[in-house]
Amino acid sequence: MLAVTTAARLASKGARRAVVVAGQRQAAVQVVRRTCARGIQSVAQTDRDTITRLLYSIGTKREVERHLRIFSSSSHPSQPAKFAVIKVGGAVLAELDELALSLSFLYRVGLYPVVLHGAGPQLNDIMEREGVVPDYIDGIRVTNAKTLGVARRVFMEENLKLVAALEALGTRARPITSGVFSADYLDKEKYGLVGKITKVDKRPIEASIRAGALPILTSLAESADGQILNVNADIAAGELAKELEPMKIVFLNDKGGMFHGVTGEKLDVINLDEEYDSLMKEPWVKYGTKLKLREFKELLDHLPRSSSVAVISASSLQKELFTDSGAGTLIRRGYKLFKHDSIDSIGADRFRQVVHDRDPEVLAGFQSVTGVLNELKKTPYTIYGDEPLDVVAVVSHPEGEIPVMTKLLPSRSGMLNNVADNVFNAIKKDHRKLFWTAQADDENRSWHFERADGSFTRAGKSLFWYGIQDVAEVERTVKDFEAKGRVERSYLPVGPSAPPHRAAAASAPAGARSFSTMIRRPFNGVAGPSRGYATAASPSTEPKRLALIGARGYTGQALTTLLSGHPHLNLSHVSSRQLAGYPLEGYTKEPVTYSNLSAEDVEKMEKEGEVDAWVMALPNGVCKPFVDAVDRGAESRGKDKSVVIDLGADYRFEQGWTYGLPELYGRDAIRQAKRIANPGCYATSSQLLIAPLINYIKPGALPTIFGVSGYSGAGTVMEKDASGKPISVPKVTPEILGGGVKPYSLTNHIHEREAGHHLSTLLGEGADKLKVAFVPSVAPWFSGIISTVSIPLKDTMTARDVAQLFEEKYKGEKLITIQKDVVQLKDVEGKHGWSVGGFQMSVEGDRVVIVGGLDNLLKGAATQCLQNLNLALGYDEYAGIPTQ
């Protein structure tokens, strides 16, 4: 085990104790407990950025940050339990310290797994001491009243031990020993008090996570008449996963994985779609192994393909979750791979869409989709991929020449679930030698280095190859490639690359800058300057600081989560009167404590330039004193004053403020702005629905929008949890709504006036102001808005005509999705963009009805705010925003 000698330097003068978090087979990650006059400090106060960096000892920085970013974005206030279900075997509970440290580690980087534990060995020990012989039928423990009584006691004791161990580490945890699982008798005559789960109530779990505590569950269930029933913990974990649909389902055992019955080697990956049938026929797959595989297949068949099962030891949990190589056994459904010699074999439209959405050359404007297809036809090629096209690779292989992988286009899930490895291995089987390129700033750059025998980087691109060890042969091959136009003329002369571990960590090559001998031109034919310098400034990467005023509500929480994944923008201050003094939860870059900033504090901070931007997440009518304070503080700073974004409605009609809806009113004004009004959630969807048809509306007619929003849009109120800490709870709940939909503000809703006011600016001079009618309703789901608009038209049109107008209006917009079908809640809830579809015409063709939607906390608030922040601060517009 590696000792981390810096622990002593980190410790305070009080009593100190180093705790190892990562197990015997990993680099030790040490966390220092400090004591002071007030006792042990909360681990939540420890430098979270340091904790994240400690993960780099088990994997590269890029892969650790990529996994952390993906896991962090998997959950959302509406569905906070989407990260992982972790089932803890009874044998693992015996190593309580190791388990608690591993779970605490996840908590401290802002991840909230749902933990469910068994207690089989502990139950057997107690029953043996009491002279009770366990009875099993078909592997199921027969449970009578005495056995159940002992089981309840054991489950409670083990649950509280784990909760206490977590709390001792400063990790908030909540014991949940009932109320989640409902069950019927499995077979009362045969098994006794054993249950078959019929329903999972996730509300206690989600409430725990929203309150900032890890939910710790037992597998006991209740029947309709209140009888407690025993349920196998593996089965309970499976049913829980089916309800929550998490990205990861982790089974912790003391063996650390599944093993080959003959060779004894650990099975790293099992792709069920390809391997299940053959595995089940293997003579060594029997008894428990066969049962586990069958259970895993049944479980994953009920879950999205992005979900996977990991069998791992507690000590290796971090390595499994945060590295590409993993540590235990990964079980996933996967897809059977294909290889085709023509685009038509996989569907031309599907292939075009993948290129449009993922090809970095297309996204950067250096190629068009048509250009990619034309290039493809110049040489014989093979397309490799999986059925849902999570990964698509194109290999060009002219007769007698070394192949070149011209495209590797993975989705996020394709990388996360190792589909890219499967596709690459299929290519290696067909080609003993291969060349390919990748951008120097590719977030998966370390993946390329790990699979290449050699590489070097020029002009922002890296050239990789395998199967060739002689540099002279590499140079001859590259020269031949360049002569035939198979790679760009920028890689000669061939020079040594940086060692992979250094090159992978670097975002760009060091040393003298190389230039291409061929000028890069965007596909639109506009040539750049002779040396290839960009005429527009590159997006900034300068670290900047943000203060968030009013951070306790759902929008503030959503924005905090997004900022955790932002590469450059750091949250330095959060202000909430009710939460002052408490640590901010859900922000993983560094510890931040809530303060209660006054207008005088804000003025002083602005005058001294403490932050680069302010976000006002306050109720309507409340933020003016703070904005005025910023203005007073900025008087001496001139053009160097901070950016202010108001999430409320106070400044959406104000002169001197820029209305921040980039997709409709342009980016340039936002880039120059210092005062930005973030649009309302309903108003955003309404304007995006109407804008493409702004010049086709029947004069004097009123477009009418019916909007339905989740109850989070009604805001929050403060209550106190069991510990006395203030927490935000919804103002309106599904119980208050009685499961129904409640219309409100039937006329003159502020978003009605907002939408009409700003849409009118799209009309020509002298045109009458546009008015819209808007009727909102609140519904019993958490977040997500569905807006249905009915627009009378001045001329007859077809649905195809209308859809084409939307395609033209929103072409190239990364956060807008145009679909054929009616937009439903599943299309928008937890998503960062706006979706539109269901274009339908009246019989006469003079009225169109369209459905659009967005998540009111994301594109309707936090995501749109981050777009505006990025533009105003000079960053890439989508920095920190998942766009896939």
Side-chain angles (χ1 to χ4, degrees):
M1 181 184 296
L2 297 177
V4 179
T5 58
T6 56
R9 294 198 300 272
L10 295 173
S12 66
K13 293 181 180 179
R16 61 191 78 173
R17 176 175 156 201
V19 186
V20 177
V21 182
Q24 297 178 352
R25 290 186 297 278
Q26 301 179 30
V29 177
Q30 300 204 354
V31 177
V32 178
R33 293 183 183 172
R34 311 175 192 182
T35 62
C36 60
R38 297 181 61 189
I40 299 177
Q41 291 181 345
S42 168
V43 180
Q45 301 297 321
T46 306
D47 186 347
R48 297 190 186 190
D49 190 42
T50 299
I51 299 302
T52 301
R53 288 199 299 270
L54 289 172
L55 282 171
Y56 303 158
S57 65
I58 60 173
T60 67
K61 179 179 179 181
R62 284 178 182 269
E63 65 182 326
V64 167
E65 290 183 345
R66 184 177 73 249
H67 284 82
L68 185 57
R69 184 170 62 253
I70 291 171
F71 289 144
S72 297
S73 64
S74 65
S75 294
H76 175 262
S78 65
Q79 296 176 312
K82 286 287 191 181
F83 162 49
V85 168
I86 298 180
K87 186 268 174 178
V88 180
V92 177
L93 287 174
E95 302 293 334
L96 190 60
D97 287 344
E98 187 78 60
L99 173 63
L101 287 165
S102 292
L103 296 176
S104 182
F105 197 98
L106 297 178
Y107 174 85
R108 294 172 63 199
V109 293
L111 300 176
Y112 289 79
V114 179
V115 181
L116 183 143
H117 66 82
Q122 293 84 348
L123 179 58
N124 287 340
D125 289 344
I126 291 178
M127 292 186 68
E128 286 178 14
R129 289 200 300 268
E130 296 185 5
V132 179
V133 179
D135 185 15
Y136 291 90
I137 299 177
D138 303 328
I140 297 173
R141 185 193 297 270
V142 177
T143 305
N144 55 26
K146 182 174 182 179
T147 301
L148 183 63
V150 175
R152 291 184 66 185
R153 186 172 79 246
V154 171
F155 273 123
M156 181 69 73
E157 289 173 355
E158 296 300 321
N159 187 279
L160 293 177
K161 282 181 186 177
L162 178 54
V163 170
L166 289 167
E167 294 279 357
L169 294 172
T171 297
R172 295 186 60 205
R174 179 176 291 184
I176 302 177
T177 57
S178 63
V180 173
F181 300 110
S182 300
D184 289 335
Y185 290 94
L186 180 61
D187 187 330
K188 190 173 183 179
E189 297 299 322
K190 189 174 182 179
Y191 305 115
L193 302 174
V194 175
K196 178 181 180 181
I197 293 174
T198 56
K199 182 182 177 182
V200 176
D201 187 347
K202 61 184 180 181
R203 289 177 300 175
I205 297 168
E206 293 181 339
S208 173
I209 295 175
R210 290 193 185 111
L214 297 186
I216 312 297
L217 284 68
T218 67
S219 60
L220 294 176
E222 299 170 40
S223 69
D225 58 4
Q227 173 63 52
I228 301 297
L229 298 174
N230 188 22
V231 178
N232 177 275
D234 284 349
I235 293 174
E239 294 300 319
L240 186 61
K242 291 175 186 176
E243 177 66 27
L244 298 177
E245 296 187 349
M247 292 191 72
K248 286 284 186 180
I249 305 99
V250 180
F251 288 82
L252 295 182
N253 66 18
D254 54 347
K255 296 178 180 178
M258 299 181 69
F259 296 84
H260 195 286
V262 177
T263 66
E265 294 179 349
K266 187 182 67 184
L267 303 173
D268 290 326
V269 180
I270 298 174
N271 294 300
L272 293 175
D273 277 10
E274 287 200 350
E275 303 174 52
Y276 179 75
D277 291 337
S278 59
L279 266 178
M280 295 299 276
K281 295 175 184 176
E282 291 282 347
W284 58 269
V285 177
K286 52 188 176 182
Y287 310 130
T289 302
K290 182 167 286 191
L291 178 62
K292 287 290 183 193
L293 285 173
R294 189 178 293 118
E295 289 176 350
F296 291 152
K297 185 176 189 306
E298 180 187 355
L299 169 60
L300 290 173
D301 281 346
H302 282 82
L303 296 175
R305 287 191 179 268
S306 57
S307 298
S308 60
V309 168
V311 181
I312 190 66
S313 64
S315 63
S316 299
L317 183 59
Q318 283 80 36
K319 192 171 194 308
E320 174 64 33
L321 291 176
F322 295 107
T323 68
D324 294 335
S325 58
T329 301
L330 177 69
I331 302 103
R332 61 193 178 207
R333 288 172 68 187
Y335 277 99
K336 292 182 178 178
L337 303 182
F338 65 75
K339 60 178 181 179
H340 297 300
D341 295 330
S342 73
I343 296 174
D344 293 337
S345 300
I346 64 172
D349 288 342
R350 295 180 72 205
F351 183 80
R352 288 177 63 92
Q353 192 64 49
V354 169
V355 173
H356 177 273
D357 292 344
R358 301 180 201 161
D359 192 325
E361 299 286 297
V362 173
L363 295 174
F366 289 117
Q367 271 191 302
S368 66
V369 175
T370 301
V372 171
L373 299 182
N374 290 337
E375 285 291 323
L376 208 59
K377 299 173 183 177
K378 292 181 179 180
T379 64
Y381 64 89
T382 300
I383 302 176
Y384 296 80
D386 62 327
E387 290 176 5
L389 304 187
D390 274 334
V391 176
V392 173
V394 179
V395 176
S396 164
H397 48 80
E399 185 70 29
E401 298 183 24
I402 294 177
V404 174
M405 182 165 65
T406 58
K407 298 292 178 188
L408 178 65
L409 307 175
S411 67
R412 281 174 53 189
S413 63
M415 293 302 299
L416 182 66
N417 293 316
N418 301 107
V419 181
D421 285 339
N422 293 347
V423 171
F424 193 77
N425 289 336
I427 293 171
K428 290 189 75 171
K429 288 179 182 178
D430 291 347
H431 304 291
R432 293 185 301 107
K433 300 177 181 180
L434 186 75
F435 280 77
W436 72 98
T437 63
Q439 298 288 340
D441 60 355
D442 189 327
E443 70 170 0
N444 302 313
R445 195 165 179 240
S446 62
W447 182 94
H448 296 278
F449 278 103
E450 290 167 3
R451 283 147 189 83
D453 291 339
S455 67
F456 61 90
T457 300
R458 297 273 172 77
K461 253 191 172 182
S462 297
L463 179 71
F464 300 94
W465 66 87
Y466 70 72
I468 301 178
Q469 307 302 324
D470 182 6
V471 174
E473 183 181 353
V474 172
E475 185 150 5
R476 288 194 302 272
T477 303
V478 173
K479 187 174 182 180
D480 183 60
F481 285 162
E482 292 191 351
K484 296 178 179 178
R486 297 187 65 197
V487 298
E488 295 173 10
R489 295 186 59 195
S490 57
Y491 294 108
L492 289 175
V494 171
S497 63
H501 67 281
R502 291 205 301 268
S507 61
R513 183 175 179 180
S514 299
F515 294 93
S516 169
T517 56
M518 179 178 69
I519 299 172
R520 290 293 303 276
R521 289 181 170 85
F523 71 84
N524 59 13
V526 179
S530 60
R531 291 297 298 274
Y533 292 103
T535 56
S538 299
S540 171
T541 59
E542 177 188 353
K544 295 184 180 179
R545 296 153 300 174
L546 171 72
L548 176 58
I549 309 295
R552 71 166 179 82
Y554 292 133
T555 297
Q557 294 170 19
L559 183 57
T560 296
T561 300
L562 279 173
L563 290 169
S564 287
H566 198 288
H568 316 300
L569 187 56
N570 300 307
L571 186 57
S572 59
H573 298 78
V574 288
S575 177
S576 169
R577 178 172 53 83
Q578 296 96 333
L579 293 172
Y582 287 97
L584 173 66
E585 295 169 349
Y587 183 70
T588 60
K589 288 185 178 180
E590 60 184 345
V592 178
T593 301
Y594 283 101
S595 57
N596 181 17
L597 295 176
S598 65
E600 291 74 19
D601 296 328
V602 170
E603 180 178 348
K604 182 180 178 182
M605 289 171 61
E606 176 65 17
K607 187 173 183 179
E608 295 176 356
E610 283 195 35
V611 298
D612 301 284
W614 301 84
V615 171
M616 306 295 173
L618 295 163
N620 293 338
V622 176
C623 81
K624 188 177 188 304
F626 294 99
V627 173
D628 290 346
V630 175
D631 288 340
R632 289 194 301 272
E635 287 175 357
S636 61
R637 297 180 61 188
K639 294 182 179 180
D640 193 36
K641 64 183 180 181
S642 298
V643 171
V644 178
I645 296 187
D646 178 26
L647 299 184
D650 293 10
Y651 295 95
R652 291 175 188 160
F653 305 91
E654 192 85 5
Q655 290 291 328
W657 283 67
T658 300
Y659 189 68
L661 183 44
E663 291 85 356
L664 283 187
Y665 305 110
R667 274 91 175 168
D668 289 344
I670 301 173
R671 289 190 181 101
Q672 303 301 318
K674 293 294 186 179
R675 301 292 181 264
I676 301 168
N678 215 58
C681 50
Y682 279 126
T684 295
S685 188
S686 297
Q687 291 173 82
L688 291 170
L689 275 171
I690 296 171
L693 291 163
I694 192 77
N695 294 314
Y696 297 85
I697 299 171
K698 184 177 180 179
L702 211 61
T704 302
I705 306 113
F706 176 66
V708 185
S709 172
Y711 60 83
S712 61
T716 61
V717 294
M718 295 300 290
E719 291 185 0
K720 292 188 176 181
D721 64 12
S723 68
K725 177 185 175 182
I727 57 171
S728 296
V729 297
K731 215 180 265 186
V732 176
T733 66
E735 290 75 20
I736 291 174
L737 295 172
V741 173
K742 180 183 178 181
Y744 66 100
S745 297
L746 303 183
T747 60
N748 300 317
H749 190 286
I750 191 169
H751 288 186
E752 177 179 279
R753 185 163 64 95
E754 179 184 341
H757 175 82
H758 290 288
L759 282 170
S760 296
T761 65
L762 299 177
L763 296 169
E765 288 188 16
D768 293 336
K769 295 292 185 181
L770 179 69
K771 290 186 177 181
V772 301
F774 171 62
V775 181
S777 295
V778 61
W781 59 76
F782 181 76
S783 70
I785 284 176
I786 301 296
S787 303
T788 305
V789 65
S790 174
I791 304 177
L793 302 171
K794 64 182 179 181
D795 298 309
T796 58
M797 300 177 72
T798 67
R800 185 184 297 275
D801 295 333
V802 173
Q804 184 63 37
L805 288 174
F806 276 77
E807 293 280 358
E808 293 171 359
K809 182 70 175 177
Y810 299 127
K811 182 178 181 181
E813 293 292 350
K814 292 185 179 182
L815 296 183
I816 291 183
T817 300
I818 300 173
Q819 61 189 57
K820 180 181 178 181
D821 298 328
V822 167
V823 173
Q824 301 179 55
L825 184 63
K826 65 182 178 63
D827 298 318
V828 300
E829 188 176 22
K831 307 292 175 59
H832 291 273
W834 178 74
S835 294
V836 62
F839 304 95
Q840 294 190 21
M841 307 297 300
S842 63
V843 174
E844 295 82 7
D846 60 354
R847 183 174 63 90
V848 64
V849 177
I850 314 165
V851 182
L854 49 72
D855 191 303
N856 52 290
L857 299 179
L858 297 177
K859 180 57 178 169
T863 303
Q864 189 140 268
C865 174
L866 192 51
Q867 278 182 273
N868 289 323
L869 278 169
N870 284 334
L871 290 167
L873 295 174
Y875 296 137
D876 178 87
E877 180 180 346
Y878 304 103
I881 300 172
T883 55
Q884 290 187 3

